[in-house]
Amino acid sequence: MGEQSLSQPKPQPLSPSPPAASASTSTSSSLATAAASRPKKEAHPPSDSNPPKKPRLTFAIPGRPLSAVGEVGAAIRHLRDADPALAAVIDAHEAPVFQCPHRPFHSLVRSILYQQLAFKAAASVYSRFLSLLGGEASVTPDAVLALTPQQLRQIGVSPRKASYLHDLARKYVSGILSDSAIINMDDRSLAAMLTMVKGIGAWSVHMFMIFSLARPDVLPSADLGVRKGVQMLYGLEDVPRPSQMDKLCERWRPYRSVGAWYMWRLIESKVPQPAPAIPVGQLVLPSPDGQIMLQQQQQQQQQQQNVIQMIDPLQMLPGMG
């Protein structure tokens, strides 16, 4: 009924009597005509009373991706004009590049494999995973679903992550997800669909949207690096809560993805760089206090490196690096 009402002309207002009615027309006939028209109106309500459109579900193709020619430049011009504080950060760094060489399924698989692992360890597991399948071209839903948990465990994939990979592959094989649907889906619907996959949460979805799909207006409001960057950018006393991020970053629309990228760069530039390593043969430790200082320095360097990895999701993202 809803589809039919779209093709029908809008019902005309009911008149109290036919325009050409003669004086001899009986009153009962007029009443019968009016009474007959009322049930028809209730059975076929005007389209305005039952709007068929659902904007959250019918947005087919999002805005131009950041991988499109000239789009990053347009984003930078907008952000520089809209936010003078951010303009200084933009001027201090090179422009970002948003390009992903993999299809969505491949990128999601890589994202799962890299979860909660140091970069080198994750890269090693990913390399063995590709070898097991026979190369990047073989990363398909059917091929992933054919891998047993034992095979995945032998290359360093935990049983839990194996279940995540299989759940993703099953949703592709069953048709719940597909690369074409993911590419054309609006942000809200895509987030709802992807978080149905085991092991994929809101943060992973945001990273996937930004760096694999190059969506222009994604704000990872729960990301600690982005929140710390906003705190530093605006001189806030405390790290803003995720619920505050939308209001603080409203001026970045419709390019909040690029604004978030510069927040990672801002935090990264403020992390002290580790001191150059000193060859063991040149170390001079005149007292136990010197050894304690050296240990503290090494621990500090390791913490700084961990912070850099935490706030730089680029190296942990699907298709990046």
Side-chain angles (χ1 to χ4, degrees):
M1 294 294 293
E3 294 180 356
Q4 294 177 356
S5 64
L6 291 177
S7 61
Q8 294 175 351
K10 187 174 180 179
Q12 297 298 322
L14 295 175
S15 57
S17 61
S22 62
S24 62
T25 303
S26 65
T27 303
S28 60
S29 176
S30 300
L31 293 176
T33 302
S37 65
R38 281 194 293 269
K40 182 178 181 181
K41 182 178 178 181
E42 294 174 357
H44 300 279
S47 59
D48 291 343
S49 65
N50 186 24
K53 293 184 179 180
K54 297 180 180 180
R56 292 184 179 181
L57 299 178
T58 56
F59 289 163
I61 301 177
R64 279 167 54 86
L66 293 169
S67 55
V69 176
E71 196 63 18
V72 169
I76 289 175
R77 289 191 296 273
H78 168 80
L79 293 173
R80 184 181 280 113
D81 293 340
D83 192 343
L86 183 57
V89 181
I90 292 173
D91 293 338
H93 297 85
E94 294 184 1
V97 177
F98 295 89
Q99 292 181 351
C100 180
H102 304 307
R103 299 289 295 172
F105 177 77
H106 189 153
S107 295
L108 289 169
V109 166
R110 188 180 188 275
S111 177
I112 291 173
L113 290 173
Y114 271 65
Q115 286 178 0
Q116 299 179 345
L117 291 177
F119 176 70
K120 290 183 178 180
S124 178
V125 171
Y126 176 66
S127 177
R128 293 195 293 268
F129 176 80
L130 293 180
S131 297
L132 181 63
L133 285 181
E136 291 188 343
S138 299
V139 182
T140 63
D142 288 328
V144 171
L145 200 56
L147 296 176
T148 66
Q150 291 75 18
Q151 288 176 299
L152 291 168
R153 187 182 301 116
Q154 290 176 354
I155 62 172
V157 179
S158 68
R160 177 174 295 182
K161 281 191 179 181
S163 69
Y164 297 165
L165 293 173
H166 285 161
D167 187 58
L168 173 65
R170 278 194 295 268
K171 284 181 169 55
Y172 261 78
V173 171
S174 66
I176 295 176
L177 290 173
S178 68
D179 283 348
S180 60
I182 285 175
I183 291 172
N184 293 322
M185 207 176 296
D186 67 276
D187 292 351
R188 187 185 297 272
S189 299
L190 180 57
M193 293 298 294
L194 289 183
T195 51
M196 291 172 57
V197 179
K198 294 179 181 178
I200 296 181
W203 185 88
S204 296
V205 171
H206 287 155
M207 297 303 104
F208 173 74
M209 287 181 177
I210 295 173
F211 294 102
S212 292
L213 302 181
R215 296 285 175 94
D217 195 36
V218 178
L219 178 65
S221 56
D223 182 89
L224 182 59
V226 177
R227 291 163 57 203
K228 282 184 172 291
V230 170
Q231 178 194 19
M232 186 176 299
L233 182 69
Y234 298 129
L236 304 178
E237 184 175 350
D238 300 315
V239 178
R241 297 187 299 273
S243 59
Q244 297 173 310
M245 290 292 289
D246 278 339
K247 183 176 181 180
L248 288 169
C249 303
E250 177 65 26
R251 68 185 71 182
W252 297 352
R253 290 180 183 271
Y255 295 109
R256 291 181 297 174
S257 300
V258 181
W261 188 92
Y262 277 109
M263 292 303 93
W264 286 312
R265 301 285 70 75
L266 174 61
I267 292 296
E268 182 184 50
S269 67
K270 300 300 181 180
V271 175
Q273 297 300 315
I278 303 175
V280 177
Q282 298 180 15
L283 289 177
V284 178
L285 304 176
S287 65
D289 291 340
Q291 293 180 347
I292 294 175
M293 292 178 62
L294 177 62
Q295 292 175 355
Q296 291 176 343
Q297 182 182 13
Q298 292 174 339
Q299 291 175 356
Q300 184 179 10
Q301 292 176 358
Q302 183 61 45
Q303 290 174 355
Q304 292 171 353
Q305 186 63 31
N306 290 341
V307 169
I308 292 175
Q309 292 182 359
M310 178 189 70
I311 65 176
D312 188 5
L314 270 69
Q315 61 181 347
M316 303 295 292
L317 296 170
M320 304 297 292

